[in-house]
Amino acid sequence: MLDLRTAYLAPEPPDAIELRAFTHGLMPRTVPAMMQRFVADWQRHGVDAWNRVPNHWGPDPDAPVGWWTLPVYLGDHFIAPLLGAPPGTCVMQPNVHWTLQCLLSAPEPFAAGAEVILTDDAFPSVRHSVQQWASLVGLRPRTVPAGPDGFVDRKAVLAAIGPETALVVLSHVGFTTGELLPEAFLRAVADRVHRHGGLLVVDGYHATGSYPVRVDAIGADVYVGGLLKEASGSSGNAFVYLRPGLRLKPRLTGWFGEADPFAFAPTPRPHPDVRRRFLGGTTAVAPLYHAVEGVRVLLAAGLDAVRADSLAKTDRAIACLEAAGLRLRSPREAERRSAMIVLEVPAADRLCAVLKQQHIYTDSRQGRYLRLAPFVWNSPDEVERACRAISEAVATGRYLHLPADALPAPGPVT
Ligand SMILES: Cc1ncc(COP(=O)(O)O)c(C=O)c1O
């Protein structure tokens, strides 16, 4: 198994076990130095930093880069390899919400049809955006409910696609279920929606960094995601991939996406490079300094190795926790399992709080689901220790009876 712990800064205290990669990955060791470089570049180069700064990112340190070009530079050199995409297709974005709003503001996808097919595991940044634009420009959202097992009803998704379908928007990994949609299914969706002239949009936030995504094999026209989770970025580190040849003119393009921004033309003229049209106003460059430090670690280890390691660690955790009486709620088969596993256990929120007191960081949902993701920074020994602690807590049942004030209070983020 992989143990890349030394590539990351250990959380406090030193014996802590961080199992919440699905919320925010550990900080890569190189992040503080990158942030120092931002400060130094700003101080030394001032306005000229927009044109050129030393290339701290690589892979070719002599390749020119400045704050103006950084969103596409990182897109080409780090996001594209992460997604198996060619250069020229990816650009950094502030968040998925912005990308969806921008995409939905483009008239081209809706020339023939107005239907947007979603599943009920769509993240609010997707789901709410579609609803907001629906009333504005007359889209028709159609949500395909989950099947009786709580997972995406794949047959129903395929059956829903027709001549009126403009977009099908699917989560590569369900954020509540941990279900990974297999490549062959996504390909079948892409083929069907393309036959009707529509587009496949994939929200890959929870697949990014833990799974070797292949956008061409999926047939995705648009693939959005962020680096906050397994890829250990932070806020402002989202991205979009746009299939080569996709012609879109988002109405939300800002002046950073203008063909000739410093002409300050009275009317908008979109940049010839379509991905640049997904830029709005002035890019927040500070978060881009550390954006790809985690990606660098994962690409060096190899995404196939990262995926194999994640499966081995979740295999181990599932075996141990099922033996302790917890019930697996996320998919078991490797081809549908993501980095996150979800287990059903009574009073999962209390169990999670008790584990936190022991510096074992998991999370809970709806008081009955415990979520964890042993990842590359967790040693096999940490996985064993965490599983043992959970098994012991469940065996004694003491956590069920602790008074509420004996447990750490949860914050607004869970
Ligand atoms: C599936 C999915 N999409 C998107 C996001 C984040 O969206 P945004 O970048 O708009 O905050 C998350 C965050 O957890 C997510 O789970």
Side-chain angles (χ1 to χ4, degrees):
M1 283 197 217
L2 291 176
D3 180 359
L4 301 182
R5 180 61 165 255
T6 54
Y8 299 86
L9 290 170
E12 299 283 337
D15 67 340
I17 303 178
E18 181 55 83
L19 297 166
R20 296 170 298 181
F22 45 76
T23 298
H24 198 160
L26 279 191
M27 185 193 288
R29 186 166 288 281
T30 47
V31 165
M34 288 304 282
M35 295 318 289
Q36 284 299 330
R37 288 176 177 143
F38 167 67
V39 174
D41 285 349
W42 182 9
Q43 187 216 327
R44 266 184 224 140
H45 306 287
V47 173
D48 294 321
W50 287 95
N51 292 316
R52 182 117 193 211
V53 289
N55 189 335
H56 314 294
W57 296 272
D60 172 8
D62 294 327
V65 62
W67 291 356
W68 188 263
T69 52
L70 196 51
V72 292
Y73 185 85
L74 297 182
D76 281 341
H77 292 90
F78 294 92
I79 305 302
L82 204 55
L83 305 182
T89 56
C90 301
V91 63
M92 299 304 291
Q93 295 280 274
N95 48 56
V96 168
H97 173 82
W98 161 262
T99 310
L100 255 287
Q101 295 278 332
C102 207
L103 174 68
L104 294 167
S105 80
E108 294 80 7
F110 310 105
E115 199 172 73
V116 180
I117 295 175
L118 304 160
T119 52
D120 54 11
D121 69 347
F123 193 77
S125 297
V126 170
R127 202 169 181 170
H128 296 176
S129 295
V130 170
Q131 283 164 17
Q132 285 153 351
W133 280 88
S135 53
L136 203 61
V137 294
L139 309 183
R140 283 200 309 281
R142 178 167 168 195
T143 303
V144 177
D149 57 1
F151 297 125
V152 170
D153 186 337
R154 294 191 248 168
K155 276 200 185 117
V157 171
L158 286 167
I161 300 167
E164 280 297 301
T165 308
L167 302 179
V168 179
V169 191
L170 296 174
S171 297
H172 201 166
V173 169
F175 76 104
T176 52
T177 59
E179 177 189 18
L180 170 77
L181 293 179
E183 202 172 271
F185 167 67
L186 290 171
R187 180 82 235 182
V189 172
D191 289 346
R192 192 167 294 201
V193 73
H194 289 160
R195 235 176 283 139
H196 293 291
L199 303 178
L200 171 62
V201 180
V202 180
D203 177 356
Y205 215 110
H206 279 273
T208 306
S210 60
Y211 177 81
V213 175
R214 302 190 308 157
V215 280
D216 56 339
I218 288 171
D221 299 286
V222 179
Y223 193 100
V224 294
L227 304 176
L228 186 78
K229 299 174 189 297
E230 283 81 1
S232 290
S234 80
S235 57
N237 293 169
F239 60 81
V240 64
Y241 154 86
L242 301 168
R243 170 181 49 76
L246 192 62
R247 307 305 299 173
L248 298 171
K249 274 202 208 121
R251 294 176 177 102
L252 289 190
T253 302
W255 75 284
F256 267 50
E258 275 285 294
D260 186 4
F262 290 93
F264 300 111
T267 49
R269 278 179 302 161
H271 201 283
D273 184 352
V274 176
R275 63 187 162 153
R276 260 207 97 90
R277 299 178 189 169
F278 279 70
L279 296 181
T282 307
T283 303
V285 284
L288 297 184
Y289 268 69
H290 61 248
V292 298
E293 294 312 293
V295 175
R296 199 190 294 287
V297 173
L298 299 174
L299 289 178
L303 287 174
D304 287 322
V306 169
R307 170 69 173 157
D309 176 69
S310 159
L311 285 173
K313 284 174 180 159
T314 49
D315 260 341
R316 181 68 203 114
I318 291 169
C320 165
L321 297 176
E322 281 190 323
L326 283 77
R327 200 167 75 84
L328 184 66
R329 194 59 199 81
S330 49
R332 184 182 305 277
E333 316 95 272
E335 73 147 2
R336 289 174 61 228
R337 198 191 312 157
S338 66
M340 172 178 83
I341 53 171
V342 184
L343 292 125
E344 197 163 356
V345 62
D349 47 339
R350 290 176 146 262
L351 176 57
C352 185
V354 164
L355 292 169
K356 195 172 219 170
Q357 285 174 325
Q358 299 170 44
H359 311 135
I360 298 170
Y361 304 134
T362 59
D363 92 358
S364 70
R365 286 286 182 265
Q366 297 160 267
R368 58 191 180 124
Y369 299 120
L370 187 75
R371 308 195 308 165
L372 53 139
F375 202 52
V376 295
W377 48 76
N378 299 120
S379 64
D381 174 60
E382 284 188 349
V383 181
E384 292 302 323
R385 272 200 292 136
C387 289
R388 224 173 20 247
I390 297 169
S391 306
E392 278 166 23
V394 171
T396 65
R398 251 198 315 274
Y399 77 96
L400 294 167
H401 310 293
L402 287 173
D405 61 3
L407 299 170
V413 177
T414 56

